[in-house]
């Protein structure tokens, strides 16, 4: 019989907010929101402490909405350098047990501990050691999910937050998948979940009634993947050097931009930041995308592709300006601009690019 893999998914609890509460005692026990301020139009919640979440405050919510939900909430700007430093410390704790680590963001990672460095053997014990080390050394808490594949481990880590540890063994996976709502399945977004529910499929048990052919008929090629995942089959390996698929930067403005010269100036600043990050990560891409969010919160993106990968400032700036000129913004008030590069060239060596992904993507596409 083939050996089951031992996968741990670690997810820090309200990471940004917890770091702030650790570093600034005056925030402890209070509803804390990390993100833009509620004044003006642009503030967005990056994360919220558990005290704030009790009021219904959630990530990506406009800060003004968060303030309405909890007038006593404290708002602080993110300190990404501090979060990155803590993330590196967390990664060092992981490395005591395995080198097979796939960071998903600053506060989240998969670990393959099938053959752990210390010969502990039990993935549950390793998860306990990691959680205790994070608590003792960093004064933070993490939740862990343990299973035989990535998908189930990730779902498990979210089941008993905060400070949770959930194990779903091979014999329990089938029953676990059957009761799982379709929107919780890996690869099922809001649109697909709504489509599934309109067809009468609300849980894994419902989807399991479909044959593979029927899955493909209803959901296209992705149906083959759904057929596997609904049975708890996930053969994806933990990838310690996961390549970045895109990199982007964006800014939200206190006052809406209405003049083309304002937008050109802001795009220029964004390109400078983007080039710095691309070069630091040794990345080039073939597709440049500019993102516009308007005062009514509608979003559009426009892209331009090149035959060869680029990361040169002048070429990126020229592409962004061309996109701006081609986009009809007459009568529009722009509250957010972003610029990004995708369709990446595989770098010769990319280290820790994933460790910076969350703070990039929060501000970005």
């Amino acid at each position: 019989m083939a050996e089951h893999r031992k996968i741990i998914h670690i997810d820090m609890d309200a990471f940004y907010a917890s770091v702030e509460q650790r570093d600034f005692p005056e925030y402890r026990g209070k509803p804390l929101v990390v993100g833009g301020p509620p004044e003006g139009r642009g503030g967005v919640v990056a994360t919220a402490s558990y005290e704030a979440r009790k009021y219904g405050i959630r990530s990506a919510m406009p800060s003004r909405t968060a303030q309405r939900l909890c007038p006593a909430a404290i708002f602080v700007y993110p300190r990404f350098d501090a979060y990155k430093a803590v993330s590196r410390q967390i990664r060092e704790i992981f490395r005591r047990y395995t080198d097979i680590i796939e960071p998903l963001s600053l506060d989240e990672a998969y670990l393959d501990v099938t053959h752990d460095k210390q010969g502990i053997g039990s993935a549950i014990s390793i998860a306990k050691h990691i959680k205790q080390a994070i608590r003792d050394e960093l004064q933070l808490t993490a939740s862990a999910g343990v299973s035989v594949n990535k998908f189930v481990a990730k779902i498990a880590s979210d089941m008993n937050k905060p400070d949770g540890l959930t194990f779903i063994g091979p014999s329990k996976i089938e029953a676990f998948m059957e009761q799982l709502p379709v929107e919780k399945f890996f690869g099922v977004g809001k649109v697909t979940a709504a489509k599934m529910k309109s067809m009468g499929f609300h849980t894994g048990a419902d989807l399991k009634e479909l044959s593979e052919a029927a899955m493909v008929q209803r959901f296209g090629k992705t149906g083959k993947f759904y057929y596997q995942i609904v049975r708890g089959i996930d053969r994806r390996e933990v990838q310690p050097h996961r390549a970045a698929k895109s990199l982007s930067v964006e800014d939200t403005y206190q006052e809406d931009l209405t003049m083309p010269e304002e937008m050109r100036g802001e795009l220029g600043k964004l390109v400078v930041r983007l080039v710095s990050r691309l070069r630091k990560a040794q990345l080039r891409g073939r597709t440049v995308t500019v993102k516009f969010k308007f005062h009514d919160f509608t979003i559009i993106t426009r892209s331009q592709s090149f035959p060869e990968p680029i990361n040169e400032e002048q070429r990126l700036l020229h592409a962004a300006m061309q996109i701006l000129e081609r986009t009809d913004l007459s009568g529009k008030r722009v509250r957010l601009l972003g610029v990004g590069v995708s369709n990446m060239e595989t770098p010769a060596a990319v280290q820790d690019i994933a460790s910076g992904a969350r703070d990039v993507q929060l501000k970005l596409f």
Side-chain angles (χ1 to χ4, degrees), residues 61-169:
M61 174 182 288
S63 295
R64 294 176 72 177
T65 303
Q67 188 179 51
R68 284 198 297 270
L69 291 171
C70 181
I74 301 168
F75 288 81
V76 299
Y77 279 105
R79 296 183 299 133
F80 290 118
D81 287 343
Y83 310 147
K84 286 180 182 179
V86 177
S87 183
R88 287 191 290 270
Q89 294 175 305
I90 295 168
R91 197 77 48 81
E92 288 305 313
I93 292 173
F94 294 163
R95 290 195 181 104
R96 297 172 193 172
Y97 302 93
T98 180
D99 291 321
I100 308 176
I101 303 163
E102 180 181 338
L104 302 178
S105 60
L106 290 178
D107 63 343
E108 185 181 4
Y110 290 114
L111 289 70
D112 187 329
V113 295
T114 308
H115 305 287
D116 68 281
K117 286 181 175 181
Q118 299 190 25
I120 295 171
S122 165
I124 299 173
S125 294
I126 294 169
K128 288 179 179 177
H129 282 298
I130 290 171
K131 281 168 51 64
Q132 192 62 47
I134 290 172
R135 180 188 293 277
D136 292 345
E137 299 172 31
L138 305 178
Q139 293 78 54
L140 297 169
T141 64
S143 293
V146 180
S147 193
V148 297
N149 63 48
K150 291 165 71 172
F151 172 59
V152 182
K154 183 173 173 64
I155 295 294
S157 69
D158 197 44
M159 292 181 67
N160 292 297
K161 273 185 160 290
D163 199 20
L165 173 56
T166 303
F167 169 65
I168 302 175

Side-chain angles (χ1 to χ4, degrees), residues 299-315:
I299 296 173
I300 64 170
T301 59
R302 298 291 184 264
S303 299
Q304 178 177 330
S305 293
F306 294 84
E308 73 287 333
I310 64 171
N311 68 0
E312 295 82 12
E313 182 175 325
Q314 286 304 314
R315 298 186 71 184

Side-chain angles (χ1 to χ4, degrees), residues 10 32 48 65 82 112 137 157 197 209 256 276 279 297 346:
I10 298 286
L32 181 70
T65 303
D112 187 329
E137 299 172 31
S157 69
K197 289 179 180 180
E209 296 296 320
D256 295 338
S276 174
R279 290 180 177 173
F297 289 88
T346 303

Side-chain angles (χ1 to χ4, degrees), residues 216-230:
V216 172
Q217 183 181 17
R218 286 168 171 79
F219 306 110
K221 293 180 180 179
T222 319
K224 290 186 177 181
F225 178 73
Y226 295 155
Y227 181 82
Q228 298 281 325
I229 209 79
V230 78

Side-chain angles (χ1 to χ4, degrees), residues 339-359:
V339 60
V341 172
S342 58
N343 195 8
M344 294 295 196
E345 173 187 58
T346 303
V350 178
Q351 294 184 348
D352 279 353
I353 180 61
S355 72
R358 175 63 63 84
D359 69 302

